[in-house]
Amino acid sequence: MESTSLELSQFAEDVIGGLSSTPKHLSSRYFYDDEGSRLFMEIMKLPEYYLTRAEMKIFTEQKDAICEAFSEGAGAVDLIELGAGDGTKTAVLIEHLLSKGVDFTYHPIDISQEANDALSSRFHEKFPALRIEPHTGDYFQVLGSLCNNNGRRKVVMFLGSNIGNFLRESAVAFFRDLRKVLSEDDRLFIGFDMQKDPRTIVAAYDDAQGVTSAFNLNLLRRINRELGGDFDLDKFSHYAQYRPMECAARSFLISREKQTVTIKAINRSFDFYQWEPIFMEISQKYTHAMIDELSRDGGFEIAREFFNEKDFYIDSLWRPI
Ligand SMILES: C[S@@+](CC[C@H](N)C(=O)[O-])C[C@H]1O[C@@H](n2cnc3c(N)ncnc32)[C@H](O)[C@@H]1O
């Protein structure tokens, strides 16, 4: 996917802001160019990346209860998925909703055109009866256009513990914004990765095959390609840590040596000292109390929770209050 000029200027601005800050940071929002989306799909298949399998297990084992909760008391449903990716897990729910004869339309929203195209063609083939309306763009730009009062219940899904990539204040702001465009009969269905053995968590963000490393480094490649940067990827290495007191995993790219990187499109150079980190992404983990507090602060209440036997991962269904 090539960026539009508006997106590109926002990208350039965010790169300037991030690399001029102390400590340096880059926004994980920009991970998902076509190569980033492809690498993320590889990450989901890694033995260390337990999140996808945990959520898949919940959907497979509890699809009946989940689909019932989505549709009970509603005439027709708009199933809206934020950052749908390859939709593998959602396919389980879609198949079940179709088999139960629920009247629904699926609206996958993704910033990656490639991810959306791949998902649409796969779902058209797999579910010929499915009404699917893919939207390419940023969650909120697209969500605004969907939030008409058309009398259909909106079930907004945000899976894969994507919410964990938001700092707490941003997560609350995100839920409040969502609350504004939802009405009382609508629902929000969110995947939360729970606090667990720190070793299990850190391995998920530092896999043995180095796919997560390639995923992070790909953002430097994107800056080189789209903004004329001269990052030498061999001079940076991926590092992941988990801090149990904060329930947060963080990933960094570490400058292996003292160096200067120039980005032509913005006519700027950035100095790095040896071992200087660029903060790339947070992956917040949760306790029940944290989820409870987030829902209230965001303007929702928990209607129902679906979790696996170990309380390893939770899909939480929220109702606006
Ligand atoms: C971590 S993947 C999760 C995919 C899927 N939801 C899952 O649970 O497996 C994040 C997806 O969100 C998309 N994405 C990231 N930021 C986005 C944004 N601001 N607006 C729309 N989509 C976004 C990416 O392209 C990617 O497909």
Side-chain angles (χ1 to χ4, degrees), residues 9 62 98 101 139-140 176 181 195 216 227 230 262 305 318:
S9 64
Q62 302 183 58
L98 287 171
Y139 313 129
F140 277 106
R176 288 202 178 140
V181 293
Q195 190 178 31
N216 277 269
L227 300 178
D230 65 357
T262 302
E305 287 189 321
W318 293 4

Side-chain angles (χ1 to χ4, degrees), residues 252-267:
F252 304 88
L253 288 176
I254 309 286
S255 175
R256 301 185 58 78
E257 57 187 67
K258 182 176 185 306
Q259 55 183 314
T260 299
V261 171
T262 302
I263 302 179
K264 275 202 202 117
I266 55 178
N267 208 14

Side-chain angles (χ1 to χ4, degrees), residues 109 138-148 154 181:
I109 302 177
D138 197 85
Y139 313 129
F140 277 106
Q141 284 163 8
V142 181
L143 197 64
S145 68
L146 289 178
C147 285
N148 41 19
K154 289 173 193 63
V181 293

Side-chain angles (χ1 to χ4, degrees), residues 235-306:
K235 293 185 181 168
F236 288 85
S237 58
H238 167 71
Y239 174 69
Q241 56 146 228
Y242 177 67
R243 296 173 78 160
M245 302 278 282
E246 299 162 20
C247 300
R250 287 186 177 77
S251 57
F252 304 88
L253 288 176
I254 309 286
S255 175
R256 301 185 58 78
E257 57 187 67
K258 182 176 185 306
Q259 55 183 314
T260 299
V261 171
T262 302
I263 302 179
K264 275 202 202 117
I266 55 178
N267 208 14
R268 290 278 298 267
S269 290
F270 300 93
D271 294 328
F272 291 81
Y273 56 83
Q274 190 179 25
W275 308 125
E276 181 172 359
I278 312 175
F279 170 48
M280 302 297 283
E281 184 173 54
I282 183 166
S283 300
Q284 183 69 51
K285 307 302 159 190
Y286 298 88
T287 60
H288 286 278
M290 286 162 76
I291 297 174
D292 213 33
E293 196 178 279
L294 258 187
S295 67
R296 268 183 283 115
D297 291 351
F300 293 84
E301 65 183 3
I302 298 173
R304 184 136 182 211
E305 287 189 321
F306 303 88

Side-chain angles (χ1 to χ4, degrees), residues 32 40 44 81 83-85 89 110-112 137-139 159-160 162:
Y32 298 94
F40 188 74
M44 290 195 295
E81 182 166 6
K89 292 170 293 184
D110 205 288
I111 206 162
S112 159
D138 197 85
Y139 313 129
L159 306 179
N162 255 17

Side-chain angles (χ1 to χ4, degrees), residues 26-32 165-166 215 219 280-282:
L26 288 170
S27 168
S28 58
R29 169 171 193 263
Y30 298 108
F31 278 148
Y32 298 94
N165 299 140
F166 291 50
F215 177 69
L219 180 44
M280 302 297 283
E281 184 173 54
I282 183 166

Side-chain angles (χ1 to χ4, degrees), residues 47-58:
E48 295 94 336
Y49 198 77
Y50 58 84
L51 290 87
T52 308
R53 284 186 300 279
E55 193 161 52
M56 186 63 149
K57 189 165 187 281
I58 294 173

